[in-house]
Amino acid sequence: MRVSNISQAKDLLEQHGQRQILAFCDELNDQQQGQLVSQINKLDFNNLDKWINELVLNTPLADIPDDFKPAPYYKATPQENEQKALYDKALKLGRELISGGKVAAFVVAGGQGTRLGFDGPKGNYPVSPVKNKTLFQLFAEQIKANSNRYGVDLAWYIMTSPLNDAQTKEIFKENDYFGLGEDNVFIFQQGTMPNFGFDGKILMADKDKIACSPDGHGGSLKALFDSGAIDHMKARGVEYASYYQVDNPLINIFDPLFVGLHALAEAQMSSKTLIKAYPKEKVGNFCIVDGKMTVIEYSDLPDEHAERKNPDGSLVFELGSIAIHMVSRSFVEKINEKGFALPWHRAEKKIPYIDAQGNKVKPTKPNGVKLESFVFDALPMTTSSIILETLRENEFGPVKNATGIDSAESSRELMIACWAGWLEDAGVKVPRKADGSVDAVIEIAAGFALDADELKSKVNEIPEIKAGDSVYLG
Ligand code: UTP
């Protein structure tokens, strides 16, 4: 039901126990009242009371089925001859699909990045070891280098949220779309969810503003469709979106093996995995539940399962999810045309709000609940989905925090370690400290080499690297 003015809004909010939204409406001018009414119209009153009861006022217990087993997967390198033939076929097909412009980059960059505490879109965070390039610039250079390699303008889809959309667009404009050409970059916004106090009341960010936050990376599957990104893909002939997170500078966006294995399996949404370092590592676990591909979060995987070992000592549930997916356009079209909903996940957070007197409050401890959906919850909706192993040192260096674990600092170390590995593969001597870590600051631009093999062809252009050197290959 839509309301057209404050008085209609009052009745509607009364029915749902949310009158506090209008607590200050008498102080608002006509324009502010109009804006508030349009925010109220965006609330999903058909589901609101149910969500509040089930997820805000209560903490639902994780619904872990009795019967689940580890998911099958493809190892990073083929294990026997028949598999080698399959990987060769997949590589060939993957390269053809990329060259045909049928694969696009798709980064989700709508998050709030609260842990990093950086002012502005996370993609604008400077991160590369020598040149301090931003995440956006690193991705753009990788897309450009792939466009050159495959002889086609590859498209880049970027999901933002109302929090950072304008700033993100400004950054791309200021940087002239990082040399990719405006036509090859499509920036679109995801949806939002209202924030709740622990009493189930929607919080207000200001007298005329409902407190909202992005609806989670799961919102991407709807936003792709609603924003017109899917139509844009269709018009360009893009069939697959290579999904990754804005905080992983080590992502290999156009991996022909992953594309090819996904396409050969006629899969709808596929994933990359890494082998967990320890049983309760904070990554989701790929499992088969009732015959369906499913990710069980680390916090929901019972200890006895997490700790279970195979006779060879490996973990039974060893496949960690690192938020790298291949998504078929036809899958996004199909689920949106049929209508779908991903489950909401509850998170207790510090949510800035205005109190009953209208004072702005910045809480120091969690004061309410945000609801988010996760993209991997779409996996059980697929009828075909493959998993490909990737090596941690090659493709996973998340920037979540300012310092410590999963920080810009650790991500830089991982980038250096990865590039040092490529150099050594190519026969270049890399200085190392006694503990084995690299004793130099190294950066290899995507335009110089996209992978270890390409670096081998440039070995003559690489200077000698001495301990303590800062080396940029670009
Ligand atoms: P995270 O779960 O790390 O969240 O997002 P975050 O918002 O970036 O950071 P914190 O938790 O506030 O510190 C993983 C990826 O999903 C994207 C993020 O931008 C990041 O690439 N994301 C997350 C969205 O695009 N939208 C969302 O609503 C949430």
Side-chain angles (χ1 to χ4, degrees), residues 143 153-157 179-186 232 236:
I143 293 166
D153 278 347
L154 294 163
W156 189 10
Y157 295 85
L180 293 174
E182 189 176 351
D183 289 351
N184 298 314
V185 179
F186 189 100
H232 188 270
R236 278 183 78 114

Side-chain angles (χ1 to χ4, degrees), residues 140-151:
E141 288 185 10
Q142 195 188 138
I143 293 166
K144 185 81 187 165
N146 274 290
S147 294
N148 292 340
R149 171 180 282 187
Y150 289 100

Side-chain angles (χ1 to χ4, degrees), residues 426-442:
V428 177
K429 188 151 175 23
V430 174
R432 287 190 180 266
K433 295 181 192 154
D435 65 0
S437 61
V438 178
D439 193 5
V441 185
I442 296 171

Side-chain angles (χ1 to χ4, degrees), residues 107-116 122 159-161 164 190-191 213-218 243-247 349 372-374 400-401:
V107 66
V108 287
Q112 293 179 287
T114 36
R115 281 170 288 172
L116 188 61
K122 215 189 218 184
M159 185 177 82
T160 62
S161 64
N164 60 20
Q190 67 179 109
S213 52
D215 58 2
H217 41 67
Y243 171 107
Y244 64 99
Q245 299 193 335
V246 74
D247 51 29
K349 299 270 185 180
E372 285 193 340
S373 63
F374 297 158
K400 299 281 184 198
N401 306 300

Side-chain angles (χ1 to χ4, degrees), residues 265-340:
E266 295 182 21
Q268 290 138 340
M269 177 169 165
S270 293
S271 314
K272 279 199 179 170
T273 186
L274 51 73
I275 305 300
K276 289 194 299 181
Y278 49 93
K280 294 290 271 184
E281 184 173 358
K282 290 186 175 178
V283 286
N285 294 269
F286 286 109
C287 301
I288 299 292
V289 177
D290 294 334
K292 298 199 179 308
M293 182 69 77
T294 304
V295 169
I296 298 185
E297 284 188 85
Y298 73 94
S299 48
D300 294 340
L301 185 68
D303 286 357
E304 71 264 27
H305 290 295
E307 308 279 352
R308 252 169 71 199
K309 298 231 167 101
N310 294 308
D312 66 0
S314 61
L315 292 171
V316 170
F317 292 97
E318 61 178 354
L319 303 185
S321 170
I322 45 171
I324 301 177
H325 301 285
M326 193 59 58
V327 185
S328 293
R329 192 193 79 217
S330 56
F331 175 62
V332 179
E333 287 168 345
K334 191 171 134 215
I335 58 176
N336 278 283
E337 277 155 12
K338 266 186 19 196
F340 76 107

Side-chain angles (χ1 to χ4, degrees), residues 423 427-431 440-444 448 455 458-467 469-474:
L423 286 162
V428 177
K429 188 151 175 23
V430 174
V441 185
I442 296 171
E443 180 170 339
I444 301 179
F448 189 80
L455 193 71
K458 303 225 168 144
V459 80
N460 295 336
E461 299 171 42
I462 301 171
E464 186 192 345
I465 306 174
K466 293 194 287 301
D469 275 359
S470 186
V471 180
Y472 177 72
L473 301 175

